[in-house]
Amino acid sequence: MFGTKKWRLYYPELKLILESIESGKLKWPLPPVNTTSAYYSHLVVNKKQNYVVGDKLVMTIIAKDGNGKRKTHGGDYFFARLIHAESRNKPYQDGIACDIEDHGDGTYSVSAPLLIPGTSSLFIDLVHPSEAVVALVLEASGTSGSGIYFVATYPSSEEVVCNVSLSQSSPIKVCNFSQPTKGFSWFCDYPKKSSHCPKVLNYTKVSYKESDVFLLGKQSYFKQNSNWKIPIQGSGFSVDVLDSSFMIDYVKSLPECSVPVGMSQLAYDRNLGRHSGLYLNDKWQSLQCNNKITMYKQWTCLRNKALYLIGDSTMRQWYEQFETILNLNTSTKLLDHPEIWQKSRNGTNAEHNITVYYRSHGLPLHNPGPAESHPFIVDTLNNIPATSEPSTIIVINFALHFCLIDPKFYLYRVQAVKRSVISLMERSPGVKVFIRGCIRHRNTRKVVPTEWYSFRLCKILRAEFAEVPGVGFIDTWQMTTVRTNHINIHPDVEIVADQINLFLSYVC
C-alpha cells in the first residue's frame, strides 16, 4: 500500500504509524476533524523564572484532533525555531532551530539552547498532521510523481514515455536503460517503429500535468489556512535571556573545522542538544567548530585546487557565487540553451591555478537535455584523476528531484554514490569529500509540493554517509530553518554565501 519499506528504517517514528495502519490497528483515512489540529494542539513550557545565556528552553507539544481529543500516536510534522526579537522585522533574522523529538504517543519534546541575550520568540507550526504525512507517503509510493512524466526521443525521432519504472502502466515490452552500478533505474516504452530497443536516448524532457497534482487545496489534508503550516496554541511566546560569558567561552573552546567534526550525525551536547549552529549577529555561528572563514576575504586557500560541485540547481548556485568571487573564466560543454540549466561548467582562475567544475546529477532530473546533460555522479567521481596530493575537493548534493517517487530509488542512488566516494578516497588519499545537506524550502507544485519530502530524503542521506570515514557534512537544513527561503526552492544568495563560508571553514 505504502510502497517499499526499506526507507522506514531511517524514519522510525513514522514506521510505527504506517505499520499500525497496515495491521488494521489504526483506521485510515480519517475524516479531517479526526486529524491532528493546530488549533487544539497546544504547547506546555517548562519555564524558569530567570534564564541566562547557556540555559536550555524545554517544552512539550500535546497533539489533539479537531474534536479536542488527545492523539495517541505520533508522526505529525512540526516546524520550530527561536527567533531573536531585535531581528524580527529584518529580511534575515538571528535565531536557532529547535530539536523536536517524537515520542510516538501524541507528545513531542521541543528544546532549544538559549544562546542570544535579550528577548526571543518561539514559533511552532504544524506543517502536516500525521494523517497528511501518511497521504504524502502514499502519493510518492509509486514509480512516478504526481503530474510529472518524462518523454525521451529515440534516434528514430520517436517520442516515448520513460520513468524509473513502468511496470504499472506500460505495455508488456519495455526498453530497459537501467545501470544498477550507478543506482540508476530507467525504463521507456518499446518503440512502435522498430523491432528492438535503441542503445541511446537522444533527448529527454519533462512535462507536468497540473491537474494531477492533488495537494494544494485539492485534498482535505492539504488546505492552507486550515491544516497546512498553521501555528499551534502557544506559538509566539517570548522568553527573556540575561547575558553571560557562556557563548564567548564556548566559541573559544570550539575546535578548528575539520572533517571529524563535520560528520553527518551531530554530536549530542547535554546543554546544546543536536544543533549544528545558529544565526548570531547576522552571521552563521557553527556550534560544531570555529568557522571564521569568509569567501570574500579568504578564498585564496583554493590556490592550486580543483573544486567539484556536483548536484542540482541549489549546487549550481554555489558555482555561480564562486564564478563571481573567483572571477572564473567559464566554459560549457553544451550549446547554451535557456532550458538546459544543468549543463556542465568548467571555470578557471589562471592566476591562482583554481579550477571549479559544476556537474549535475542524472535522471530523474527534472530538466530537459541530451544524455550528456544528465551525467551520473558515479561517472563524475570515477573520472576524477587519482592523486595523493590534497589538491581535489568535492561537494555533493542531490535530493529534490527524487522527492515524488518511491524513496527506494533515492536509496539506490545514494548507496551507489557512497561506493564511488569510498573508491575515490582509496585511490586518492588526499581528496576531501563533503556531502551538502538538504535545504528547507517553500513549496512548488511541480517539483516539490512540500518540504516534508526533502526532510525524508535528508534523513536517508545523512544516515548513509554517517559512518563513512573522512567524509564531511555541511548541514544546511538548520540554516534554512532559521532563515527560510524567499524564492521557492532556491535559497537567497545571502544564504548560499553562508553555506559556502561554512564549507570553506573546513578546507581553508
Side-chain angles (χ1 to χ4, degrees):
M1 180 179 182
F2 296 111
T4 183
K5 297 182 180 180
K6 293 181 179 180
W7 66 272
R8 299 184 193 180
L9 298 174
Y10 307 92
Y11 209 146
E13 56 268 42
L14 191 58
K15 178 175 180 284
L16 293 175
I17 185 174
L18 294 177
E19 289 176 346
S20 296
I21 293 172
E22 290 168 336
S23 67
K25 294 180 181 179
L26 184 64
K27 185 180 179 181
W28 190 87
L30 291 177
V33 71
N34 296 127
T35 67
T36 307
S37 167
Y39 301 109
Y40 286 97
S41 299
H42 64 276
L43 186 69
V44 177
V45 183
N46 303 325
K47 196 169 184 180
K48 291 171 53 178
Q49 186 172 2
N50 294 301
Y51 285 105
V52 298
V53 171
D55 286 343
K56 190 176 184 181
L57 185 64
V58 180
M59 302 144 285
T60 302
I61 297 173
I62 309 296
K64 296 182 178 181
D65 67 16
N67 293 313
K69 183 180 178 181
R70 169 79 179 271
K71 298 296 289 286
T72 58
H73 61 78
D76 299 309
Y77 179 58
F78 293 95
F79 169 95
R81 57 183 182 157
L82 194 63
I83 300 298
H84 192 230
E86 291 183 6
S87 66
R88 282 279 303 278
N89 296 321
K90 296 180 180 179
Y92 300 102
Q93 301 170 333
D94 283 356
I96 192 168
C98 298
D99 275 338
I100 302 177
E101 182 180 358
D102 185 345
H103 297 293
D105 60 358
T107 65
Y108 303 79
S109 293
V110 182
S111 61
L114 299 171
L115 303 177
I116 306 178
T119 302
S120 291
S121 299
L122 178 74
F123 298 94
I124 301 182
D125 289 356
L126 174 63
V127 181
H128 295 302
S130 56
E131 295 78 13
V133 173
V134 171
L136 289 170
V137 174
L138 184 61
E139 176 70 5
S141 63
T143 57
S144 61
S146 176
I148 298 176
Y149 63 98
F150 297 86
V151 176
T153 304
Y154 285 158
S156 64
S157 298
E158 181 179 354
E159 290 190 341
V160 293
V161 173
C162 303
N163 219 309
V164 291
S165 175
L166 295 177
S167 59
Q168 296 179 357
S169 59
S170 290
I172 296 176
K173 295 180 70 174
V174 296
C175 295
N176 186 352
F177 294 94
S178 302
Q179 300 181 54
T181 59
K182 301 173 185 177
F184 178 55
S185 173
W186 202 250
F187 298 84
C188 298
D189 286 341
Y190 200 81
K192 296 179 180 179
K193 302 178 181 179
S194 175
S195 60
H196 61 275
C197 294
K199 294 182 179 181
V200 296
L201 301 175
N202 278 16
Y203 196 88
T204 301
K205 61 184 178 181
V206 63
S207 297
Y208 301 95
K209 292 182 179 179
E210 289 284 356
S211 60
D212 288 349
V213 181
F214 81 91
L215 292 174
L216 188 58
K218 294 184 179 182
Q219 213 266 13
S220 58
Y221 293 160
F222 303 92
K223 291 187 177 180
Q224 290 180 326
N225 304 318
S226 175
N227 54 12
W228 192 347
K229 293 189 177 180
I230 307 298
I232 68 170
Q233 287 191 58
S235 176
F237 92 89
S238 296
V239 57
D240 296 320
V241 184
L242 299 175
D243 202 358
S244 77
S245 63
F246 177 86
M247 274 303 286
I248 295 174
D249 296 337
Y250 186 83
V251 171
K252 285 181 178 179
S253 71
L254 287 172
E256 289 187 3
C257 294
S258 62
V259 169
V261 294
M263 296 303 291
S264 66
Q265 296 297 337
L266 300 175
Y268 181 79
D269 183 279
R270 184 171 60 86
N271 292 317
L272 300 183
R274 289 184 176 87
H275 287 82
S276 60
L278 75 158
Y279 274 103
L280 179 63
N281 299 323
D282 204 36
K283 295 180 181 179
W284 179 256
Q285 172 60 59
S286 171
L287 295 174
Q288 302 291 306
C289 62
N290 199 345
N291 60 313
K292 293 182 177 181
I293 303 300
T294 60
M295 172 174 53
Y296 295 95
K297 296 180 180 179
Q298 293 158 299
W299 58 263
T300 51
C301 71
L302 295 176
R303 282 191 181 112
N304 303 315
K305 299 287 194 301
L307 174 61
Y308 290 82
L309 305 174
I310 308 171
D312 57 32
S313 58
T314 63
M315 187 54 67
R316 187 199 71 224
Q317 288 182 281
W318 278 41
Y319 181 91
E320 291 167 349
Q321 288 226 18
F322 276 116
E323 186 176 36
T324 299
I325 298 303
L326 303 182
N327 193 27
L328 298 178
N329 179 19
T330 292
S331 62
T332 62
K333 290 189 174 182
L334 293 173
L335 294 175
D336 285 338
H337 190 288
E339 290 185 339
I340 308 178
W341 59 254
Q342 77 278 9
K343 56 182 173 286
S344 297
R345 296 163 169 83
N346 301 343
T348 58
N349 179 313
E351 180 182 357
H352 298 282
N353 190 28
I354 301 171
T355 305
V356 184
Y357 302 89
Y358 168 73
R359 297 292 184 267
S360 67
H361 62 74
L363 295 168
L365 193 79
H366 294 179
N367 284 82
E372 59 266 31
S373 71
H374 302 119
F376 293 102
I377 298 176
V378 167
D379 287 336
T380 299
L381 295 176
N382 291 344
N383 289 331
I384 293 175
T387 177
S388 60
E389 298 297 323
S391 58
T392 303
I393 307 168
I394 301 164
V395 187
I396 302 170
N397 163 263
F398 61 109
L400 284 170
H401 295 256
F402 291 80
C403 283
L404 291 177
I405 54 177
D406 192 296
K408 70 179 181 182
F409 298 106
Y410 182 67
L411 182 57
Y412 296 156
R413 192 69 59 89
V414 170
Q415 291 173 338
V417 171
K418 183 171 71 172
R419 291 191 296 268
S420 291
V421 165
I422 293 171
S423 175
L424 172 62
M425 296 175 73
E426 287 175 347
R427 70 176 187 271
S428 297
V431 70
K432 292 183 178 180
V433 180
F434 295 87
I435 303 299
R436 201 217 72 193
C438 305
I439 59 169
R440 216 166 196 138
H441 50 74
R442 295 192 175 208
N443 311 316
T444 72
R445 294 177 63 188
K446 289 183 176 182
V447 182
V448 192
T450 166
E451 67 175 51
W452 181 84
Y453 282 128
S454 294
F455 179 73
R456 175 168 66 168
L457 298 186
C458 198
K459 277 179 169 282
I460 295 173
L461 183 66
R462 292 173 73 122
E464 279 293 316
F465 276 94
E467 305 303 325
V468 181
V471 174
F473 189 85
I474 307 299
D475 184 356
T476 50
W477 189 266
Q478 292 192 19
M479 278 185 174
T480 47
T481 295
V482 178
R483 294 187 172 180
T484 55
N485 297 339
H486 297 290
I487 49 174
N488 296 321
I489 288 176
H490 301 102
D492 296 351
V493 292
E494 291 83 359
I495 298 174
V496 176
D498 293 331
Q499 297 172 7
I500 293 175
N501 288 340
L502 178 61
F503 156 70
L504 288 177
S505 293
Y506 286 96
V507 298
C508 295

